Amino acid sequence: MAETKENEAMEVDTTPFEPVSILKLTKDAQQKHGLRHGNYKRYGDYCDRRIRRLRRALKYTHTYKCVPNHKAKFVLRPVNADVVNDKRFLELVVFDVEHCWARGMEFKVASENEKHARQIFHARRRLIKAVQHAENLDSSVNSSPRFDEFTKTEGKAYVASIQGAALLEKRKWSEALDKYVNSRFIYQKLVKNVKNEELQALYEQRVKEISNIIKLCEYHAGKKGVDVAPDVSQLDLNETLEDSLKNVEIEEPKSEKEKKKQEKADKKKKKEQQPLPQPVPAKPTFFDLALKHFTLPQEITDIANTQPPAPAKGEAAQPAGLGGMVRNLFWGSK
């Protein structure tokens, strides 16, 4: 028994996940929850709620270790490659990054309006935290064998853009330029190889956004007019990337109504697949009413019609039941 349990514990599910487009995931969330109007606070609040929902759904919430006569100690549960057994762990880490990035941009906008030094400090700290989550995302995705090359490649582009945003806020123009050039190089490669038209449009739009930031970095770094080549050694792209990206299919995000409709259809289909109940032999209906149509023997009817003899004049009627019998047996009747 012990050996079988050990073998079951050692067996790890290695079925590959479906391809996940991180850029599509983040763009959809940003457009629906505030960034269409530049409201970073609303988007940050949404990311916070999304993280809580994902942790509850995955049953991977942070815990509190309670010790007698001491305050509860907070125990952090980080996400790494060892615990990634569901595709939603990727969403969890991505929205950790987005949450920190949104808070950093919120503080940055506030500092531009109020000219407060602490706001700038908070913005930089939040962006540094976003970089830490992004690096955790990169290591978790690359270490797990269940993610495909498409997800890993797009994750590298996303991580490079987050690192560039943090360096840009620190005014490290040349380092930020290198990160953004690497990110643009990957997105350009994805545009050429991915056959999904919607993803191609997203990548082309992202390439234009990054190109504008690259021009700003080149101007401040004094490299205007100089072609900066991407550092391919840092990207560590797979040689068979083009073959793995040709038939990429991304699931469309469904609304709440579509999800409920799909659940109803699944329940209906499940009911149809269930076997019909088999007839079970049982007592016929109205069986007791049929007794009226039977003719009983004459002896039974005579016994049923006979009445007990009436008591004498001086004697009282004996109460029926066990109580009357015991009463007459021990102490008699009055």
Side-chain angles (χ1 to χ4, degrees):
M1 290 293 290
E3 293 180 358
T4 56
K5 289 182 179 179
E6 290 179 0
N7 294 332
E8 290 177 358
M10 291 176 64
E11 290 179 358
V12 180
D13 190 6
T14 58
T15 54
F17 295 131
E18 296 178 357
V20 181
S21 176
I22 298 175
L23 182 63
K24 182 176 175 55
L25 178 67
T26 54
K27 283 293 182 183
D28 289 342
Q30 289 172 3
Q31 292 297 314
K32 292 179 182 178
H33 299 281
L35 285 198
R36 182 178 294 179
H37 309 289
N39 191 346
Y40 291 101
K41 185 180 185 306
R42 179 185 167 191
Y43 181 58
D45 294 341
Y46 164 75
C47 292
D48 190 11
R49 295 192 301 270
R50 181 77 177 267
I51 291 167
R52 290 175 183 271
R53 288 198 299 269
L54 285 170
R55 283 194 174 271
R56 289 196 193 101
L58 294 168
K59 297 181 180 179
Y60 199 71
T61 56
H62 303 299
T63 57
Y64 289 88
K65 184 178 179 181
C66 297
V67 182
N69 301 326
H70 293 280
K71 292 183 179 180
K73 184 179 179 181
F74 177 76
V75 180
L76 182 68
R77 299 186 73 182
V79 178
N80 49 40
D82 298 333
V83 301
V84 176
N85 56 6
D86 196 312
K87 188 174 67 173
R88 290 175 292 179
F89 277 103
L90 176 65
E91 297 182 23
L92 177 61
V93 185
V94 167
F95 280 103
D96 277 332
V97 179
E98 289 289 301
H99 177 245
C100 294
W101 174 80
R103 294 304 184 196
M105 298 305 294
E106 178 188 350
F107 289 130
K108 181 181 177 181
V109 173
S111 66
E112 292 175 355
N113 297 331
E114 299 179 3
K115 302 295 181 182
H116 201 284
R118 295 303 300 176
Q119 301 285 358
I120 300 173
F121 174 77
H122 288 317
R124 292 179 180 178
R125 293 296 299 172
R126 287 290 90 194
L127 290 174
I128 291 171
K129 192 70 174 178
V131 170
Q132 293 175 0
H133 285 300
E135 291 173 352
N136 182 27
L137 168 67
D138 190 21
S139 62
S140 300
V141 171
N142 290 323
S143 302
S144 177
R146 304 183 67 179
F147 290 105
D148 60 341
E149 291 299 326
F150 168 75
T151 307
K152 293 179 180 179
T153 305
E154 193 177 342
K156 291 180 184 298
Y158 177 73
V159 171
S161 62
I162 293 295
Q163 291 173 342
L167 293 169
L168 190 68
E169 185 62 27
K170 294 179 181 179
R171 302 295 189 269
K172 296 182 179 180
W173 305 107
S174 58
E175 297 177 11
L177 177 62
D178 294 337
K179 295 296 182 182
Y180 277 117
V181 167
N182 291 343
S183 180
R184 184 179 65 176
F185 173 74
I186 297 175
Y187 283 127
Q188 287 174 344
K189 202 172 185 63
L190 290 170
V191 169
K192 294 178 182 178
N193 295 293
V194 174
K195 303 303 180 184
N196 192 327
E197 295 181 357
E198 185 179 359
L199 289 179
Q200 284 181 350
L202 279 175
Y203 295 146
E204 289 174 356
Q205 181 185 0
R206 185 59 180 160
V207 167
K208 290 179 182 178
E209 293 173 358
I210 294 175
S211 298
N212 295 330
I213 301 174
I214 287 174
K215 290 179 182 178
L216 177 66
C217 294
E218 287 176 348
Y219 175 78
H220 286 283
K223 297 181 180 180
K224 190 174 182 180
V226 179
D227 293 334
V228 181
D231 191 356
V232 184
S233 61
Q234 291 184 0
L235 298 178
D236 191 20
L237 297 178
N238 194 352
E239 296 179 356
T240 61
L241 178 63
E242 297 181 2
D243 297 333
S244 62
L245 296 180
K246 286 182 179 178
N247 299 319
V248 174
E249 295 182 359
I250 306 298
E251 293 183 355
E252 294 291 334
K254 296 181 179 180
S255 61
E256 294 296 331
K257 291 184 179 179
E258 292 177 349
K259 288 180 181 178
K260 290 181 180 179
K261 191 175 180 180
Q262 185 65 30
E263 288 177 0
K264 288 182 180 179
D266 293 340
K267 288 181 180 179
K268 187 176 180 181
K269 187 176 180 181
K270 190 175 180 181
K271 285 183 179 179
E272 291 176 354
Q273 292 177 353
Q274 289 179 353
L276 296 174
Q278 299 295 329
V280 180
K283 187 177 180 181
T285 311
F286 305 119
F287 178 77
D288 296 333
L289 298 178
L291 292 174
K292 294 183 179 180
H293 301 281
F294 293 144
T295 55
L296 298 175
Q298 186 65 29
E299 297 175 356
I300 298 176
T301 55
D302 294 341
I303 293 171
N305 293 329
T306 55
Q307 296 181 357
K313 292 183 178 180
E315 296 180 358
Q318 184 178 356
L322 184 63
M325 184 177 68
V326 173
R327 182 180 177 186
N328 294 331
L329 182 64
F330 290 101
W331 56 84
S333 60
K334 293 182 180 179

